Amino acid sequence: MKKNISTFKKIIVCLVAMAMLFAFVSCSGDFFANGNTSSSRPETSESTSVDTSSNGLPSDVNFNISYVEADEIKPTSTTEVVARVRPSVLELYCIVGQSKSSGSGVIVSFDDTDDDGNDDKALILTCHHVIENASQMTAKSIYGKEYEAELIGADPVSDIAILWITATEDNGFEGLTAAQMMCDSDKLLIGADVLAIGNPLGYLGGTVTKGIVSALNRDVTVENRKMTLIQTDAAINGGNSGGGLFDAETGALIGIVNAGYKSSAAQGLSFAIPCGTVKPIMTQLLEKGYVEGNYDFGVTFTAEKFFNTAWSTTTYVVIESVDIYGTFYKGGMEEGDVILSVKIGDKSIDVSKYESDTLAKLETFLVDGSYNIGDKVTVVYMRYKKSTRGYEQCTAEFEIAQYRYGIITD
């Protein structure tokens, strides 16, 4: 009996030892696989300058965008969904000034403009902030093919932009697919499984992450713009913007990824523009190149200290940058102007005495949302004059203007 107990104990010890060894090997494998941090971003091929003079879509192109009702889609497996929709998501690489940026885009339609039986144009949906101020844009498929991307229209208010790419005899669209857009966003359900597909970090194109719909109609401020978005816990990183948020069961495109919350205190907070919001915006961009009634002040501010004497300084609000298509630029405002007060319609704000929350108050004032095109804007500011080597107080009066990105008007 004692011998049997001893033998039994030995067997138990051996099993425990084997389990510990197996666990160690498994953990070691994960550690080394995840610990490889070496990476390099591929160089993209040169593209010719993007034509930003077009106003809407040329008449010889007829993109037939596929919109699908939620009730019409038949569920399939996740792997089948990924195989079908992953080729519709492209990597986008932009040259902005002397730097490069990256993002994602989703093909939503093809067209055969020369009726030869082969599609030669593809319509791409992305975010305005992905392509903003880009002089060159390159789209890259999961198969490694690259295409010059051209602007059709963009709208900073909704953060939507549409581009197109052209196939050639040597560089076609083989293997690419067009996503179907589910625009009845009211039928989305909280808790539904979703897939985010994009180009995180600018060199991991085609990455698929999975999550759920965490919330609907979430009011969020993105880059000082108030938006109503889909919230998801699918992993989103820099470079995912402009990519697709798909229903995991059906493969329908339900949103365009445009924001991820970055904080050490929170995780799993990502957002997408619902396709129900995208559809009317895209329709106007295709028809006109802009969205009727939308405006953008197109200005960012910073705080700078100015010396009064050798021993004292005063802090002022200064224009850091202006968008050449925005209202402030059209009103004659320039980088470096010192802002004292702004009045829009019957509302005004005095920023001449700087406090810790002055910048935040000014940004809130500008995104009020109650302003309309044609409202009068009065800015009291100081501008540096080279002739006198000092600042001169000025007043600028102008009106809120229709925003037409990429379209220069007098």
Side-chain angles (χ1 to χ4, degrees):
M1 184 66 179
K2 291 182 178 179
K3 183 177 180 180
N4 290 339
I5 292 174
S6 176
T7 302
F8 180 72
K9 288 183 177 179
K10 289 180 179 179
I11 293 173
I12 294 299
V13 171
C14 289
L15 289 173
V16 171
M18 291 176 65
M20 291 176 64
L21 179 60
F22 178 79
F24 174 76
V25 172
S26 299
C27 292
S28 298
D30 284 343
F31 174 78
F32 287 114
N34 296 331
N36 183 6
T37 59
S38 64
S39 63
S40 59
R41 174 172 169 179
E43 291 293 326
T44 58
S45 62
E46 285 191 13
S47 307
T48 57
S49 296
V50 176
D51 179 10
T52 60
S53 63
S54 62
N55 184 353
L57 191 66
S59 59
D60 61 341
V61 183
N62 182 26
F63 287 116
N64 184 21
I65 302 166
S66 179
Y67 301 106
V68 60
E69 297 291 330
D71 299 336
E72 298 176 358
I73 311 174
K74 296 181 179 180
T76 57
S77 71
T78 301
T79 53
E80 289 176 315
V81 167
V82 170
R84 188 173 75 249
V85 303
R86 190 167 173 260
S88 70
V89 181
L90 303 175
E91 306 165 32
L92 292 180
Y93 298 99
C94 303
I95 295 180
V96 182
Q98 300 298 314
S99 62
K100 295 182 179 180
S101 63
S102 61
S104 308
V106 184
I107 298 174
V108 292
S109 183
F110 294 102
D111 188 38
D112 177 11
T113 60
D114 54 10
D115 297 322
D116 66 351
N118 297 310
D119 292 323
D120 50 37
K121 296 285 186 181
L123 184 68
I124 302 172
L125 189 58
T126 186
C127 289
H128 173 270
H129 76 262
V130 170
I131 56 87
E132 187 172 14
N133 298 324
S135 58
Q136 296 180 16
M137 298 180 290
T138 300
K140 183 178 179 181
S141 75
I142 62 170
Y143 306 111
K145 290 186 176 181
E146 295 185 353
Y147 311 86
E148 175 190 352
E150 298 177 279
L151 174 71
I152 295 175
D155 176 54
V157 178
S158 61
D159 198 21
I160 292 297
I162 50 175
L163 320 172
W164 65 0
I165 55 176
T166 303
T168 63
E169 185 176 346
D170 299 327
N171 198 31
F173 293 150
E174 293 83 5
L176 299 185
T177 59
Q180 289 184 305
M181 297 176 63
M182 191 184 84
C183 296
D184 43 350
S185 303
D186 58 323
K187 292 186 178 180
L188 293 175
L189 298 176
I190 296 175
D193 290 334
V194 292
L195 303 170
I197 305 179
N199 182 28
L201 306 184
Y203 61 87
L204 298 174
T207 293
V208 182
T209 57
K210 188 174 183 180
I212 63 170
V213 174
S214 303
L216 297 170
N217 302 318
R218 185 71 83 189
D219 291 331
V220 180
T221 299
V222 180
E223 296 188 350
N224 298 323
R225 297 186 180 99
K226 294 180 180 179
M227 310 184 73
T228 302
L229 306 173
I230 300 170
Q231 182 183 330
T232 177
D233 65 346
I236 300 297
N237 294 282
N240 270 107
S241 288
L245 187 68
F246 298 88
D247 180 80
E249 291 189 356
T250 64
L253 180 68
I254 64 174
I256 298 298
V257 174
N258 76 325
Y261 188 79
K262 297 180 181 179
S263 171
S264 59
Q267 296 180 354
L269 295 178
S270 303
F271 301 92
I273 307 167
C275 281
T277 300
V278 172
K279 182 180 178 180
I281 299 296
M282 184 166 58
T283 298
Q284 287 204 51
L285 290 177
L286 285 169
E287 292 176 352
K288 304 177 181 179
Y290 61 91
V291 179
E292 189 71 41
N294 279 0
Y295 63 85
D296 189 64
F297 290 115
V299 61
T300 61
F301 302 97
T302 188
E304 288 189 15
K305 291 183 178 180
F306 290 80
F307 283 95
N308 300 321
T309 67
W311 311 105
S312 66
T313 61
T314 300
T315 302
Y316 289 101
V317 172
V318 177
I319 292 181
E320 184 177 35
S321 65
V322 285
D323 179 355
I324 62 172
Y325 306 110
T327 289
F328 266 59
Y329 181 86
K330 292 179 178 179
M333 305 306 297
E334 300 177 359
E335 293 179 10
D337 286 347
V338 177
I339 305 301
L340 301 179
S341 67
V342 180
K343 182 179 180 181
I344 304 174
D346 58 358
K347 298 181 180 180
S348 62
I349 183 171
D350 186 343
V351 295
S352 58
K353 295 181 179 179
Y354 185 83
E355 298 177 349
S356 59
D357 61 348
T358 297
L359 283 178
K361 286 182 176 179
L362 179 56
E363 290 172 356
T364 301
F365 175 80
L366 292 178
V367 298
D368 179 275
S370 65
Y371 311 130
N372 298 297
I373 291 175
D375 284 354
K376 185 177 179 180
V377 181
T378 303
V379 181
V380 180
Y381 64 101
M382 295 188 296
R383 177 173 292 172
Y384 183 79
K385 300 291 185 179
K386 291 183 179 179
S387 58
T388 60
R389 296 185 179 182
Y391 282 84
E392 177 182 315
Q393 184 167 317
C394 310
T395 299
E397 294 183 348
F398 47 93
E399 295 181 350
I400 295 178
Q402 167 70 53
Y403 191 88
R404 296 178 172 88
Y405 180 80
I407 303 171
I408 301 294
T409 56
D410 296 330

